[in-house]
């Protein structure tokens, strides 16, 4: 087995163990392999080992990869920041967008989503840590944004996404993920069907799964340590 295939297997085992420990089914947690900064060959290796969902967060790099890797059943998730002048290529090429945080961006994504493709699946990014620097809507604004997005014809609102601040405080880690789940439940009670909680990365996937993550976005644990981000 290649290194990536071994690591992928180990991550799938971590996900399954965490799901079972929480009384959940392993198949209820989707693994998105975050391949940003890694070459096509790394993605091909993971694909050959059975991985199908991949996450990219630098647009040019992601577009180049998905144009060069046309493989059956592969799905591409855009997980990076969204500039309003980049909504068209995102809407034309990806299946999922995880970081929607403004209605204006959602409208543009919906307008640009080609008719021949299924609706673009989106998550609203929520700032559960309350830091000034982090992106995401404040939790109290999420219900209104959800209701606006749910009316857009070419988008399918799937759920919420968060990237809590890294912390070694396990209680706090759980509290941040729990806050996202409770917000999701609150929005569902208001009549908007959300089935996705995109939360958990290499360092905190167990806590996220314990608190109800249905999608974990894992890079380092599959592909190894990343070099510095490419220039914007
Ligand atoms: C890079 C990235 C990840 C993956 O992080 P790892 O710690 O390498 O698993 C997940 N989500 C987002 C939004 C990212 O930018």
């Amino acid at each position: 087995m290649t290194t990536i295939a071994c690591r992928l297997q180990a991550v799938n085992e971590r996900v399954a163990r965490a799901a079972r420990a929480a009384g959940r089914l392993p198949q209820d947690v989707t693994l998105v392999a975050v391949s940003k900064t890694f070459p096509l060959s790394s993605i091909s290796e993971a694909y050959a080992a059975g991985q199908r969902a991949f996450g990219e967060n630098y647009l040019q790099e992601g577009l180049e990869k998905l144009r060069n890797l046309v493989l059956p059943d592969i799905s591409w998730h855009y997980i990076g920041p969204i500039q309003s002048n980049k909504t068209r290529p995102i809407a034309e090429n990806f299946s999922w967008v995880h970081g929607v945080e403004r209605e204006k961006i959602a409208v543009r994504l919906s307008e640009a989503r080609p008719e021949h493709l299924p609706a673009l699946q989106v998550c609203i990014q929520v700032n559960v840590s309350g830091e000034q620097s982090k992106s995401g809507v404040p939790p109290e604004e999420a219900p209104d944004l959800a209701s606006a997005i749910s009316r857009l014809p070419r988008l399918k609102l799937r759920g919420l996404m968060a990237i809590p601040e890294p912390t070694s405080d396990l209680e706090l880690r759980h509290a941040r993920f729990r806050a996202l789940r409770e917000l999701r439940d609150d929005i569902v009670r208001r009549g908007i069907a959300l089935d996705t909680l995109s939360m958990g990365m290499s360092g905190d996937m167990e806590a996220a799964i314990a608190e109800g993550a249905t999608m974990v976005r894992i890079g380092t644990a599959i592909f190894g340590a990343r070099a510095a981000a490419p220039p914007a």
Side-chain angles (χ1 to χ4, degrees):
M1 259 208 267
T2 68
T3 308
I4 287 175
C6 282
R7 291 203 196 108
L8 185 61
Q9 187 178 27
V11 167
N12 276 314
E13 282 164 9
R14 268 175 80 181
V15 168
R17 216 177 303 125
R20 286 196 201 94
R24 306 179 55 208
L25 297 171
Q27 61 265 35
D28 291 344
V29 185
T30 299
L31 173 61
V32 177
V34 178
S35 44
K36 64 185 179 196
T37 78
F38 288 95
L40 292 173
S41 58
S42 298
I43 301 175
S44 301
E45 263 182 57
Y47 183 89
Q51 180 61 29
R52 291 295 177 267
F54 292 89
E56 287 285 334
N57 62 343
Y58 307 107
L59 183 61
Q60 282 319 313
E61 182 195 337
L63 290 177
E64 217 173 289
K65 287 176 178 172
L66 62 84
R67 282 171 187 153
N68 282 290
L69 276 174
V70 181
L71 295 165
D73 294 334
I74 198 165
S75 75
W76 294 96
H77 295 237
Y78 187 75
I79 62 173
I82 310 163
Q83 292 163 346
S84 55
N85 62 341
K86 301 284 169 57
T87 44
R88 178 164 299 278
I90 294 173
E92 287 176 348
N93 289 282
F94 287 83
S95 302
W96 282 74
V97 176
H98 289 238
V100 177
E101 53 180 25
R102 282 191 288 149
E103 186 179 351
K104 182 185 149 204
I105 294 283
V107 167
R108 293 179 66 108
L109 287 170
S110 181
E111 285 169 356
R113 182 65 170 177
E115 286 298 330
H116 69 275
L117 294 176
L120 181 64
Q121 304 175 86
V122 304
C123 290
I124 293 172
Q125 185 170 354
V126 181
N127 181 353
V128 288
S129 306
E131 296 157 293
Q132 299 296 328
S133 59
K134 278 282 168 67
S135 40
V137 286
E140 60 275 15
E141 292 174 20
D144 283 347
L145 183 57
S147 132
I149 292 178
S150 67
R151 290 191 294 267
L152 294 172
R154 302 292 298 137
L155 300 188
K156 169 88 185 120
L157 181 62
R158 294 294 301 268
L160 307 179
M161 177 270 215
I163 313 172
E165 85 280 29
T167 172
S168 54
D169 179 341
L170 270 182
E171 283 286 319
L172 183 62
R173 204 182 270 184
H174 278 261
R176 300 301 193 205
F177 291 133
R178 193 178 314 127
L180 195 70
R181 184 189 68 216
E182 288 173 354
L183 183 58
R184 192 263 323 259
D185 294 345
D186 178 46
I187 295 172
V188 169
R189 275 193 296 271
R190 295 168 192 239
I192 298 172
L194 301 181
D195 61 14
T196 300
L197 281 175
S198 168
M199 58 187 196
M201 317 204 303
S202 294
D204 58 12
M205 67 179 106
E206 281 82 4
I209 291 168
E211 297 298 342
T214 64
M215 241 179 212
V216 289
R217 309 175 311 271
I218 310 297
T220 313
I222 297 171
F223 296 108
R226 283 182 295 275

